[in-house]
Every structure is written in C-alpha cells, then in structure tokens.
Amino acid sequence: MKSFILLSLLSAICMAQTKPITVKYPITKKSNHTDTYFETSIKDPYRWLEDDRSSETEAWVKEQNKVTASYLNTIPFKSQIKERLEKLWNYEKLSAPFTEGSYTYYYKNDGLQNQYVLYRKKEDGSEEIFLDPNAFSEDGTTSLAGLSFTKDGSIAAYLISEGGSDWRKAIVIDTETKKILGDTLVDIKFSGISWKGNEGFYYSSYDKPEGSELSAKTDQHKVYYHKLGTPQNTDVLVYGGIDTEKNRYVGATVTKDNNYLVISAATSTSGNKLFIKDLRTSNAVLTTILDQTDTDSYVLENIGSKLFIVTNLNAPNKKIVTVDASHPTPENWKDFIPETENVLSPSKGGGYFFAEYMVDAISKVFQYDYNGNLIREVKLPGLGSASGFGGKKDDTHFYFSFSNYKTPSSSYKYNVKNGEYSLYWKPEIDFDSDEYESNQVFYTSKDGTKIPMLITHKKGLVLDGTNPTILYGYGGFNVSLTPSFSITNAVWMEQGGIYAVPNLRGGGEYGKKWHDAGTKMQKQNVFDDFIAAAEYLIKNKYTSSNYLAIRGGSNGGLLVGATMTQRPDLMKVALPAVGVLDMLRYHTFTAGAGWAYDYGTSEESKEMFTYLKGYSPLHNVKDGVSYPATLVTTGDHDDRVVPAHSFKFAAELQAKQTGDNPTLIRIETNAGHGAGTPVSKTITQYADIFGFTLFNMGYSKLPNSFIK
C-alpha cells in the first residue's frame, strides 16, 4: 500500500507542471478550389498539397517539420524515453525457422539493426548470412519485402522496397552460390512470387501511372509470367489485360505439385473471383470456380485433382470445402471442416491441417488429418496469439510462435505426430512480464452491441482516473487485432501507462457479419464502438479525459480523426498515423478505389456522399472548437494512404483550432506506410509520440524513473 501512495504522490508532482508552448504555425496558403457533388459545393482550399512533386509542397513539409521538431525538442524527458527504447529494443530477436532445400532459414536481429537479417544453417549446424537487408542502402530505408523459394530450394526470388514504397523490385539468386540470376525485375506492386518449377514465376503489377508514382491512380492489376533468363519486357501477360478481366487486385499461385495455376481477382479489398488452370495441359484455359465477388475464397491445398478451398460462401466465419478441379463450382462443394461460431484461419503442414480459431480474439488451434478427422486440440502456452502452424507436407516437425500484449514472442518446436512441443527460443529482454497483467472486458456500444477489449498494465494499478492511457483501434477491412507484444507498448506501460485495445466492428474478429457491420452506411458503428471504449475506461476510473490518448494508423487514422472531430472533449491527445482523412477523395489516389467495399465512394450516390461527408475528418474540423493536442504522423513516400490526407487535415486543424492545444504534423522523410521502417527511425518516432503524449497530459517529468 505504501508503494501505491508514493506512486500517487510522485504522479502528482510530475503532473500539471507544464505550461502551454506557444506554437507559430507556418502559413498554409488557401486556394479557391471547389468541387461539386450532387449539386453540393465543397471547398478544398488545400488541394495544392496533393501534388507531392511540387516545390511548394516540399517547402511546406520542411517548414512543418521544423516547427514540429522545435516543439518536440522542448519536451524535457523525450531523450530519456528514447534512451529507454534503445535499451529495451537492444536484445536478440529470432523468427521461427523454416526449411528450404537442405537449409534451415530464420530471421535474426542482433538488437538495434535497422532490418532483420536472413540467416541459414546446414544440417551440421554451421550458420551463415543469406540476405542482409541492412546492406541494401546506407540509411536502412530499403527493406526486404518478400521472399519465395523454388520447391527444391535451389533458387530464390526476393522483393525489395525502397523508401517504404509499395512498388517493388524482384531479384533472383542461386541459393547455393548467392549469385544473381538474370536481370532485376522492376515496377511490381501488391504481389507475391509463385514459382512454376525452376523455370520461372508468376507476379502481379500495374502499368506505371502517368504523373506521380506515389499518388497517381492504379486501377488495373495484371498477372505476368517471367521465364528465367529472359528480359522483363518479354514476360507473358497471363490475366488482366482486357476489359472483362479488369480488377484492382489480382494474384496468381501455383499449387505445390506444380499442376495447377490458381488466380484470384478482386475489385475491392473484400470479395474475389477464383479461377484455376491445369498447367499439365498445353493451351489449357482458365476454369471458373467462382464468378462473383460477394465472398472470399482461396485454394489452401490439393491432392491430385482434389481441391481444398477455404471460403466464407454461406459461411460467414469460414469453412473448408473439397471439390474436384474438373467441376470446381460451388454446387459441387462438400464440407470438409464445417463452419463454427468462431472465425477460422487454417494452415497446413506435416500432412495435417491446423484450424486456428479466434475465440473473442484469442487463439485456439485444432489439428485435423486429410480425411477431416479431428486429431487433437493443441494446448497453447497461454492466452494470446499463435502463428506459424504450418510447413511442408513431409515435415515431421515445424515451429510456431506465441505472444500476447505483455509477453514477448517465443518460438516452439512442434511434433506433428504426437502433438508435443518444446520451447525452441525465448528472448532475453529487460522486461519482466510477471509484473504486468492483461485482462479482457466486454462493454456495451451505443446500439447495445457487446464489444471485447483487452486492457494491459502493471499489476496493482490504482484505478483513480489519473493513469495515462493509450486507446488503440483499427476497425476495418476484416483486420483482426489479436494480442501481440510490442517493445514500444512495454516502455509505455513501464511508465504506469495503460494500453487498451477494443475489437471494433469492421474488423474480422467475429467473421464477415462483424466486418460488414462496420462498412459503408454502417461505418459510424466503428466510431461509436471506439467512443464507448473510451467512456468505459473513464467510467471505471482506469483513466479520465485529461489522461486519455487515442491512436490508430491507416484506417485506424481515420478512426482517430473521426473520433476527435465528433468528440473532442473525450480525450486529451489524438495520434492519427498515416490516416485516411479525406473521405470524399480517397478513391482518387493510388489503389484507394479498392477500399470502396469498406467505405463506399462520394461519387456512387447522393446518399453515400452525404454519409461520407458527415464523418470525413477533413470536412468536420470546425472553427471555434478546442481539439485535443494532436500529433499527425505520416511518411512522404506513403503510396498507399498518400500523405496529402495528413497534410490537408493538419492544415485545417492549424487554421481552426481554438485554445492552447498544439496541432502538429510529423512527416517522416524517405518513409512509406510503415512496413520496413528502419528501427532507428521507429525509435525516434515513438520517443516523439510518447513524449508529446505525456507532456500534453501535464507531465513535466516521467511518471516512473527508468533507472533501476
């Protein structure tokens, strides 16, 4: 009890000691640009900021970064946060191993390396570096973005991303000699690589757009076949070249026996057509499995002509069906692993299927044989998220990983025959998970829907309404937020901070119905769920509005932008990252039109336009309102959610904010949507974010000392 009293006294000393910093924002010019939607005129005074190639935009970015850096550098404890992040981050990290050919491969980071290094071992245990992405560029901003081996493991193709861009280059190497084979392929986007024997591979891309490759619209995805030893300009167009095959997302996969090519085609991020082609027959044509995009389906496995298909057709929580490739349409499907009340995410390895289910966002795993018989439930190490259940068909064992919000990921070696597993690797990290607890609660949203939320913090936390809290959410695109460990969140919790994650509608935690309940004209449900989560935390004295920050990225950035403009009184700090913030124009940039399943577009109907305008963060910033202290973050090379969203939103906030709360934008240079960001940049970014958050909650000193 004494320690709690001392902690409360220390918090009182640290809080309410900061004075507002007067910020002089750069002058952002306004134009008279106006758009008309269904006879309604909408002003867009910052349209010029959409031109990412203009010298004016470049100058604006520099001035904004200068002001933001000046503010952040006045925070007295920011350097302490950075030092702690560096210290905690500096431990060896190891991925679960996988086998290709005669080698066992695994990713490893010695501690503070900007990118993970791919190592491999022979059977004798001798270790060597196979690929070191840290050598791809001097500043660590070129990352490994994909890797695919031939079936025998003798050849590999890997994708690289430069500056965080979604555009990729493909490099083919001989795995034994590590020598490059043929020319580097360029301009690949939203694609994996799928080998056909050792002859060549399939990949997907768009025609390079006119104008800016970072923001120009990309609308027609195409599948190509590249034969090794030939120039890219002779690659064969396989699918997507004609109007009847026009789709925004197309992918090709060769079955492991090299007998079939499977093509998935989608106009949006949800729902796909499915086709199959027999590669053993010359001049074979694509056979249709599904010709509509109302559901999601893919081929998981095949034994000869018997296909195992994962689908949510007439099964919102997914199931596995079987069908013969000669007559693959749905009327011939037979249930193999039927739908249950929980969402299915299956994998395969060692001659078995592994059915992972989300039960209130927590993993449960069951093992089945190829006849559909349940072999066993795999008893996991605890409550959290399991991943990696899978391998090659003849594997006798493979590796899986397990973690949760307070426990760093560890790897386990699994015996497929008897279901036993043993700890393979556990990180040595300067963080004691036993000092923390993670509890799931259920709260009620505005319309009465029950929403689960995991709340993680130090044990013995006093619920007095003064705990600094980050409420993190996403709520879209069928994405499920399952428990996982984060070094940055660990540092936050060391300071007595609470980290709370609700599983909002729009996600995939409860299947297609849960996803659809947060899309289009139901999108407000997502914001209501998030607001209700904040109200639950405040009502139950976990925190209060003065100590609450909301955070989310991409679609989660939209969530934060909508929540802070609808309920600016609810939180002290808002942290929208790489957000979709202009809901009237999002579909005009890069592949944004593919998000219409979740959002709808301002052009499709007057009703949809009115609904989007009603919550679009950019269009709901009002004069005379005191918005929370806001740090908008984005990357100048983000070609998924273009930075213009964040630029225009920040400009609106700066022009209309009332009161002393700062509204700043932090623009990472030579960085994209987030994937592949160097560790050094990530550490600096989170030192800024946590420093900004605590400083604007009133702290002049850190709540807890990092010195032990």
Side-chain angles (χ1 to χ4, degrees), residues 168-442:
R168 311 290 196 234
K169 293 179 179 177
I171 300 167
V172 182
I173 58 173
D174 180 303
T175 59
E176 192 61 39
T177 64
K178 291 185 273 189
K179 289 184 178 179
I180 294 176
L181 304 176
D183 296 330
T184 296
L185 276 63
V186 298
D187 299 338
I188 297 173
K189 191 171 185 180
F190 296 152
S191 176
I193 287 173
S194 188
W195 285 93
K196 179 187 176 186
N198 290 24
E199 308 161 15
F201 56 82
Y202 295 89
Y203 66 93
S204 306
S205 195
Y206 305 90
D207 293 336
K208 205 67 175 288
E210 296 181 7
S212 170
E213 67 177 65
L214 294 178
S215 59
K217 192 172 183 178
T218 48
D219 211 31
Q220 188 163 354
H221 218 196
K222 301 175 182 179
V223 171
Y224 294 90
Y225 175 71
H226 174 72
K227 185 177 181 180
L228 290 189
T230 64
Q232 187 177 5
N233 61 14
T234 64
D235 288 355
V236 178
L237 176 62
V238 176
Y239 185 88
I242 56 178
D243 288 344
T244 56
E245 296 176 351
K246 184 177 180 180
N247 294 275
R248 293 191 181 94
Y249 308 107
V250 179
T253 305
V254 179
T255 56
K256 293 299 182 184
D257 58 11
N258 280 300
N259 288 345
Y260 296 99
L261 174 69
V262 180
I263 289 180
S264 172
T267 56
S268 190
T269 50
S270 289
N272 66 286
K273 301 174 185 177
L274 197 62
F275 308 96
I276 192 167
K277 179 180 180 179
D278 193 332
L279 294 176
R280 298 167 297 179
T281 304
S282 60
N283 300 319
V285 297
L286 281 175
T287 299
T288 300
I289 299 177
L290 278 170
D291 61 358
Q292 47 82 11
T293 57
D294 297 333
T295 57
D296 301 275
S297 302
Y298 64 92
V299 175
L300 174 66
E301 173 68 297
N302 72 296
I303 300 177
S305 63
K306 184 179 182 180
L307 307 178
F308 295 80
I309 298 174
V310 181
T311 184
N312 61 9
L313 177 63
N314 301 320
N317 291 336
K318 295 184 184 178
K319 63 181 178 180
I320 301 178
V321 299
T322 59
V323 72
D324 193 272
S326 61
H327 300 91
T329 48
E331 65 269 19
N332 300 310
W333 290 0
K334 295 180 180 179
D335 282 3
F336 177 71
I337 297 180
E339 181 191 24
T340 72
E341 63 182 4
N342 299 306
V343 180
L344 170 66
S345 299
S347 57
K348 56 188 173 63
Y352 294 91
F353 291 102
F354 292 85
E356 180 188 343
Y357 292 96
M358 279 186 291
V359 182
D360 297 329
I362 304 298
S363 291
K364 282 196 172 184
V365 179
F366 298 86
Q367 183 174 346
Y368 289 85
D369 66 19
Y370 271 53
N371 293 317
N373 299 312
L374 175 63
I375 304 301
R376 63 178 63 88
E377 178 182 354
V378 180
K379 299 295 184 181
L380 297 173
L383 297 179
S385 300
S387 62
F389 274 91
K392 293 181 170 54
K393 188 176 290 186
D394 57 355
D395 285 347
T396 58
H397 64 269
F398 54 69
Y399 302 84
F400 72 91
S401 299
F402 179 84
S403 72
N404 54 38
Y405 285 123
K406 69 184 186 70
T407 309
S409 181
S410 296
S411 299
Y412 297 83
K413 186 176 182 179
Y414 182 80
N415 185 310
V416 298
K417 296 299 181 183
N418 60 26
E420 296 178 357
Y421 61 84
S422 58
L423 181 65
Y424 174 77
W425 177 82
K426 182 179 180 180
E428 295 182 6
I429 181 175
D430 182 25
F431 180 79
D432 187 356
S433 298
D434 292 337
E435 293 182 2
Y436 297 81
E437 60 183 292
S438 191
N439 300 301
Q440 188 173 59
V441 301
F442 289 81

Side-chain angles (χ1 to χ4, degrees), residues 46-211:
Y46 305 116
R47 175 68 65 87
W48 62 275
L49 284 170
E50 292 181 4
D51 186 354
D52 56 84
R53 299 182 300 168
S54 78
S55 57
E56 282 186 303
T57 301
E58 182 182 1
W60 184 88
V61 167
K62 288 181 179 177
E63 287 302 307
Q64 290 286 344
N65 272 343
K66 187 184 298 183
V67 169
T68 299
S70 177
Y71 180 96
L72 294 173
N73 288 337
T74 64
I75 297 171
F77 47 77
K78 192 186 76 167
S79 61
Q80 291 176 263
I81 298 175
K82 184 177 180 182
E83 288 171 8
R84 178 55 182 160
L85 281 164
E86 288 175 340
K87 183 179 179 182
L88 190 57
W89 214 297
N90 194 14
Y91 69 93
E92 185 179 74
K93 305 164 195 71
L94 202 68
S95 75
F98 57 96
T99 302
E100 299 291 349
S102 59
Y103 291 92
T104 297
Y105 292 83
Y106 49 93
Y107 293 91
K108 184 168 72 172
N109 191 306
D110 291 341
L112 294 174
Q113 289 175 290
N114 278 323
Q115 305 289 343
Y116 276 71
V117 179
L118 180 59
Y119 286 82
R120 67 181 182 183
K121 286 182 179 179
K122 285 187 175 182
E123 292 180 357
D124 63 7
S126 57
E127 182 184 71
E128 67 173 347
I129 292 174
F130 182 65
L131 286 174
D132 183 2
N134 296 291
F136 290 172
S137 62
E138 289 186 7
D139 61 358
T141 59
T142 299
S143 60
L144 182 63
L147 175 67
S148 179
F149 290 85
T150 56
K151 186 177 181 180
D152 65 5
S154 64
I155 306 172
Y158 63 93
L159 298 170
I160 63 171
S161 168
E162 296 170 312
S165 172
D166 281 332
W167 291 99
R168 311 290 196 234
K169 293 179 179 177
I171 300 167
V172 182
I173 58 173
D174 180 303
T175 59
E176 192 61 39
T177 64
K178 291 185 273 189
K179 289 184 178 179
I180 294 176
L181 304 176
D183 296 330
T184 296
L185 276 63
V186 298
D187 299 338
I188 297 173
K189 191 171 185 180
F190 296 152
S191 176
I193 287 173
S194 188
W195 285 93
K196 179 187 176 186
N198 290 24
E199 308 161 15
F201 56 82
Y202 295 89
Y203 66 93
S204 306
S205 195
Y206 305 90
D207 293 336
K208 205 67 175 288
E210 296 181 7

Side-chain angles (χ1 to χ4, degrees), residues 656-670:
K656 295 178 178 178
Q657 171 75 302
T658 295
D660 295 325
N661 290 332
T663 53
L664 302 171
I665 182 168
R666 184 188 188 282
I667 306 153
E668 192 72 69
T669 56
N670 204 24

